[in-house]
Amino acid sequence: MKFRVQRAALVEAVSQVSKAVSQKTTIPILTGIKVSAEDTGLTLTGMNSDLTIQVRIPHRVDDKEQVNVERIGNIVLPGRILGDIVRKLPGDEVEWTVDRLITTIRSGQAQFQLNGLDAEEYPRLPQLEEHQTFSMQADLLKSMIRQTGFAVSTQEARGVLTGVLCQLKQGRLIFVATDSHRLSRREAEVEADPELDLHNVVIPGKSLSELAKILADQDGWVDVVVADNQILVKADNLLFFSRLLEGNYPDTNRVIPQGGISEMVTSTREMLESVERASLISRDGRDNVIKWTVKAEGHVEVTSAAQDVGVATEEVPAKVSGEELTISFNARYMIEALRAVDSEEIRITFTGTMTPFVIQPADREDALHLIVPIRTR
Amino acid sequence: MKFRVQRAALVEAVSQVSKAVSQKTTIPILTGIKVSAEDTGLTLTGMNSDLTIQVRIPHRVDDKEQVNVERIGNIVLPGRILGDIVRKLPGDEVEWTVDRLITTIRSGQAQFQLNGLDAEEYPRLPQLEEHQTFSMQADLLKSMIRQTGFAVSTQEARGVLTGVLCQLKQGRLIFVATDSHRLSRREAEVEADPELDLHNVVIPGKSLSELAKILADQDGWVDVVVADNQILVKADNLLFFSRLLEGNYPDTNRVIPQGGISEMVTSTREMLESVERASLISRDGRDNVIKWTVKAEGHVEVTSAAQDVGVATEEVPAKVSGEELTISFNARYMIEALRAVDSEEIRITFTGTMTPFVIQPADREDALHLIVPIRTR
């Protein structure tokens, strides 16, 4: 096995597959990155019990040579050290030779000889049936992850609630996440066979947050393949596999209230900053409770109090219709929801002081965040 | 107590005194920041068992009003929360009122009421005899700290070795730090009474690193006052007190070799990067050992090896005179020393393969770093 590769391309590829490489694993070969050289380019693979990431460095990109393979072959090298080494290599080009399992990496005046592992022992990629597929813009997928992923439960014991529910019906994709105290939901049109119907595809929240990072620089389209217990996202020179969570996701439709007793429209940024300030007082308390008092004359009073510390109060202007009310909630849930809203204004619909309320971008219907209030004395 | 202050000035002052405020202390009032309003401006104070930092916000800076005091007074407020609050306040100006101990902080639409503590219970500033003083440029003091402070021992039990020895003789200031495996030393001329003679002033390394951060934006002169068990550094609107370490610092002069059996001159940056790369292989080993083989034909071979991982080798060009030799050392000591050198080239003087060697900027005599080699088989 012998090839030359542009260092920048190698650094990028190693950094991407490293997201699936763990130091803590009972299967030693999975602490490694598999590097395969074929005539058409290089393929790097990283894998853990949840994820498999494969990145290709093609022979040429836009007429510029990225990789030149002289002798094909495969090797597995320790992931962490490989990442650190390629980042620090002095030259623009890297020369890579494998003789039996000893891998020699040369760049500029630097030379490393690393003990590799036999690539034959590296697990195969998951094999997926590809008949359930849809396509969407990478940017849209990233938005949908960003606007729902934060609401998953972080407690492993909560099972399916640690994942994002992904449903597809008549070309409409829905992401839902909830930890049972709050819920986030986002819908969008995608390119799909209108017959394709997905009900209970639950993707681990952690997998999606890695996917969003890996797609950070991608624009263009991605293909999504859904199989029995795996999902595969295909982008330019990238394959991203995640296992799916087992179990039935609860029906959340009946949780989301229709209509309400009052409504307000206010600035997303002003409200976010105001809640962030109020939470400086409440954050050390168990539930990080802050209170809204919605006033018909056109503002919300945002208050928080902690016995030993003090009190925060401020008024945020709002267009209010319907009943005045006072409602208490966990400041962190509100902050995370408001940070996920891209619109300048939000509409908030209340159904009572003890029942869930809904936050939506004021100018669109395809996203919502629901928060369950906290009972206070 | 009542005043108005520019938010930016308040944020800066709170952030500086916070460096002396600890959450973990057996004296509750020391988790607070003392704020004093006088007609001439504000004074903020933070204190822990090692440090006291006092920052003034004067009434005016360059004809611009910074603070306007309506009613003088003193209060102590919890340090961490005060810092977070002032950073997040929405307005450019902050209005501050204290009624008994309740402190009301208003800015824009935001209002916080914090429970203060009685400033009478806050400890007094250390009182220092001011007859041992000298002056120097803030930039020079920062350089001297940066070029020696990393070499102090981080083990509390090592006593004086956790500090930097500061000596003054005939207007020449010397900083020395050692953890007994390596030593760093820097000298400079300062403004001082030539009669002033300081032998055994040992400043805790941690205090100096806080001082360097606090002086980051200062140019101009600082005055240094040395008393029995305290040092005071005075800069613009800043008083920085640190306790001194007790005990006699060892005599390090006899450790520093004079002359040697061989010498090399090489590029600081090339050698630093080369040692950083080699340490990627050795860093998980106990002593992070790397090896130099100095060759008369004009280069150094930098190598490292770890049984399970592999080998790194590279050559760095160097002007070599005297004997060829091979020497092993802890890569971290070398990396920290080379990062502290501001000159483009370094001169390294060897006295043998088992005896300390000396690294100096090639173009000056006022700084040196000594490293004790490691015996290898």
Side-chain angles (χ1 to χ4, degrees), chain B residues 233-280:
Chain B
V233 178
K234 297 182 189 179
D236 265 4
N237 296 311
L238 172 76
L239 299 181
F240 181 98
F241 298 83
S242 169
R243 75 179 174 99
L244 296 175
L245 292 174
E246 283 175 29
N248 288 316
Y249 202 87
D251 178 12
T252 57
N253 285 317
R254 56 199 174 77
V255 180
I256 299 166
Q258 304 299 321
I261 59 165
S262 55
E263 190 183 277
M264 69 176 191
V265 174
T266 186
S267 150
T268 312
R269 194 179 57 79
E270 270 186 65
M271 184 52 85
L272 172 59
E273 289 176 0
S274 178
V275 172
E276 283 176 338
R277 277 190 291 269
S279 85
L280 296 177

Side-chain angles (χ1 to χ4, degrees), chain B residues 2-223:
Chain B
K2 186 171 181 184
F3 61 85
R4 278 179 292 111
V5 59
Q6 292 299 307
R7 191 180 67 91
L10 184 62
V11 168
E12 171 75 7
V14 169
S15 138
Q16 294 209 316
V17 300
S18 291
K19 295 186 172 67
V21 178
S22 162
Q23 290 304 303
K24 290 171 267 170
T25 164
T26 48
I27 310 168
I29 202 161
L30 292 188
T31 62
I33 291 173
K34 181 180 165 189
V35 180
S36 304
E38 300 118 41
D39 291 330
T40 53
L42 293 188
T43 309
L44 282 78
T45 311
M47 198 181 280
N48 62 31
S49 51
D50 286 339
L51 294 183
T52 300
I53 301 174
Q54 187 167 89
V55 173
R56 273 188 66 73
I57 306 176
H59 174 48
R60 287 181 171 280
V61 170
D62 300 339
D63 261 24
K64 190 167 175 282
E65 187 176 274
Q66 296 280 305
V67 60
N68 185 312
V69 176
E70 201 168 301
R71 258 200 325 276
I72 64 170
N74 300 284
I75 190 78
V76 176
L77 288 179
R80 183 175 69 110
I81 198 164
L82 179 62
D84 291 340
I85 287 173
V86 296
R87 259 194 308 279
K88 292 227 170 213
L89 287 175
D92 290 337
E93 204 178 70
V94 178
E95 192 189 298
W96 183 299
T97 326
V98 179
D99 184 9
R100 268 150 303 168
L101 296 174
I102 303 297
T103 305
T104 305
I105 298 174
R106 275 196 206 88
S107 180
Q109 76 279 18
Q111 171 177 315
F112 288 87
Q113 284 193 307
L114 297 178
N115 304 334
L117 295 167
D118 187 352
E120 287 300 310
E121 287 166 28
Y122 197 83
R124 307 272 154 236
L125 285 198
Q127 297 299 316
L128 268 61
E129 297 274 358
E130 301 221 354
H131 51 256
Q132 298 190 123
T133 72
F134 59 90
S135 301
M136 62 196 296
Q137 289 279 352
D139 276 342
L140 175 61
L141 178 56
K142 281 180 273 180
S143 293
M144 292 183 74
I145 294 171
R146 186 173 61 79
Q147 293 173 352
T148 55
F150 65 87
V152 301
S153 174
T154 53
Q155 295 168 31
E156 283 302 322
R158 301 297 304 276
V160 284
L161 295 192
T162 62
V164 173
L165 173 67
C166 160
Q167 293 181 315
L168 181 71
K169 204 180 174 88
Q170 294 181 317
R172 196 149 184 92
L173 181 68
I174 305 178
F175 274 21
V176 178
T178 180
D179 61 5
S180 75
H181 304 293
R182 39 85 181 262
L183 175 149
S184 293
R185 181 188 158 108
R186 171 75 204 269
E187 298 184 27
E189 300 292 334
V190 297
E191 295 277 317
D193 180 343
E195 302 285 294
L196 179 59
D197 210 346
L198 300 170
H199 281 297
N200 190 57
V201 176
V202 187
I203 311 168
K206 284 184 196 160
S207 299
L208 287 177
S209 79
E210 293 301 344
L211 176 60
K213 285 181 219 159
I214 284 189
L215 293 178
D217 302 326
Q218 294 261 0
D219 32 25
W221 289 81
V222 299
D223 294 329

Side-chain angles (χ1 to χ4, degrees), chain A residues 80-81 84 88 109-113 115 276-277 280 283-284 307-315, chain B residues 80-81 84 88 109-113 115 276-277 280 283-284 307-315:
Chain A
R80 184 175 70 109
I81 198 164
D84 291 340
K88 291 227 171 213
Q109 74 281 16
Q111 171 178 312
F112 288 87
Q113 284 193 308
N115 304 334
E276 284 176 337
R277 278 190 290 270
L280 296 177
R283 66 183 169 188
D284 294 329
Q307 201 158 20
D308 298 333
V309 183
V311 178
T313 333
E314 61 188 87
E315 285 180 6
Chain B
R80 183 175 69 110
I81 198 164
D84 291 340
K88 292 227 170 213
Q109 76 279 18
Q111 171 177 315
F112 288 87
Q113 284 193 307
N115 304 334
E276 283 176 338
R277 277 190 291 269
L280 296 177
R283 65 182 169 190
D284 294 329
Q307 203 159 19
D308 298 333
V309 183
V311 179
T313 335
E314 61 189 86
E315 285 181 6

Side-chain angles (χ1 to χ4, degrees), chain A residues 14-318:
Chain A
V14 169
S15 137
Q16 294 208 317
V17 301
S18 291
K19 295 187 170 67
V21 178
S22 161
Q23 289 304 302
K24 289 172 269 168
T25 164
T26 48
I27 310 168
I29 202 160
L30 292 188
T31 61
I33 290 173
K34 181 179 166 190
V35 179
S36 304
E38 300 117 41
D39 290 330
T40 53
L42 292 188
T43 309
L44 282 78
T45 311
M47 199 181 279
N48 63 31
S49 52
D50 286 339
L51 295 183
T52 300
I53 300 174
Q54 188 168 86
V55 173
R56 272 188 66 75
I57 307 176
H59 174 48
R60 286 180 172 281
V61 170
D62 301 337
D63 262 23
K64 190 167 175 280
E65 187 176 274
Q66 297 280 307
V67 188
N68 186 312
V69 175
E70 202 168 300
R71 254 194 336 270
I72 64 171
N74 299 284
I75 189 77
V76 176
L77 289 179
R80 184 175 70 109
I81 198 164
L82 180 61
D84 291 340
I85 287 174
V86 296
R87 259 193 307 279
K88 291 227 171 213
L89 287 174
D92 289 337
E93 203 176 71
V94 178
E95 191 189 299
W96 182 300
T97 325
V98 179
D99 185 9
R100 269 151 300 170
L101 296 174
I102 302 297
T103 306
T104 305
I105 298 173
R106 276 196 204 86
S107 180
Q109 74 281 16
Q111 171 178 312
F112 288 87
Q113 284 193 308
L114 297 178
N115 304 334
L117 295 167
D118 186 351
E120 287 300 310
E121 286 166 28
Y122 197 83
R124 307 272 153 239
L125 285 198
Q127 296 299 315
L128 268 60
E129 296 274 359
E130 301 221 355
H131 52 253
Q132 297 190 127
T133 71
F134 58 91
S135 302
M136 62 195 297
Q137 289 279 351
D139 277 343
L140 175 60
L141 179 55
K142 281 180 274 180
S143 292
M144 292 184 73
I145 294 171
R146 187 173 61 78
Q147 292 173 354
T148 55
F150 64 88
V152 302
S153 173
T154 53
Q155 296 168 32
E156 283 303 321
R158 301 298 305 275
V160 283
L161 295 192
T162 62
V164 173
L165 173 67
C166 160
Q167 294 182 316
L168 181 72
K169 202 177 176 91
Q170 296 182 316
R172 195 148 185 92
L173 182 69
I174 305 178
F175 274 22
V176 178
T178 179
D179 60 6
S180 75
H181 304 294
R182 38 86 181 262
L183 175 149
S184 292
R185 181 188 158 109
R186 172 73 204 270
E187 297 184 27
E189 299 293 333
V190 298
E191 294 277 316
D193 180 342
E195 302 286 292
L196 179 59
D197 210 346
L198 300 171
H199 281 299
N200 190 56
V201 176
V202 187
I203 311 167
K206 284 184 196 161
S207 298
L208 287 177
S209 79
E210 293 301 343
L211 176 60
K213 284 182 220 159
I214 284 188
L215 293 178
D217 301 326
Q218 294 260 0
D219 32 26
W221 289 81
V222 298
D223 293 329
V224 182
V225 180
V226 179
D228 274 353
N229 51 11
Q230 289 273 344
I231 190 167
L232 164 59
V233 178
K234 297 181 188 179
D236 266 4
N237 295 312
L238 171 77
L239 298 181
F240 180 97
F241 298 83
S242 169
R243 74 177 174 99
L244 295 176
L245 292 175
E246 283 175 30
N248 288 317
Y249 203 88
D251 177 13
T252 56
N253 286 317
R254 56 198 175 78
V255 181
I256 300 166
Q258 305 298 325
I261 59 164
S262 54
E263 190 184 277
M264 70 175 193
V265 173
T266 185
S267 151
T268 313
R269 194 179 57 77
E270 269 186 65
M271 185 52 85
L272 172 59
E273 290 176 359
S274 178
V275 172
E276 284 176 337
R277 278 190 290 270
S279 87
L280 296 177
I281 296 287
S282 55
R283 66 183 169 188
D284 294 329
R286 199 171 64 90
D287 283 325
N288 194 355
V289 185
I290 72 167
K291 192 166 75 178
W292 276 354
T293 306
V294 180
K295 295 286 197 182
E297 62 257 42
H299 68 258
V300 194
E301 224 176 83
V302 180
T303 51
S304 65
Q307 201 158 20
D308 298 333
V309 183
V311 178
T313 333
E314 61 188 87
E315 285 180 6
V316 178

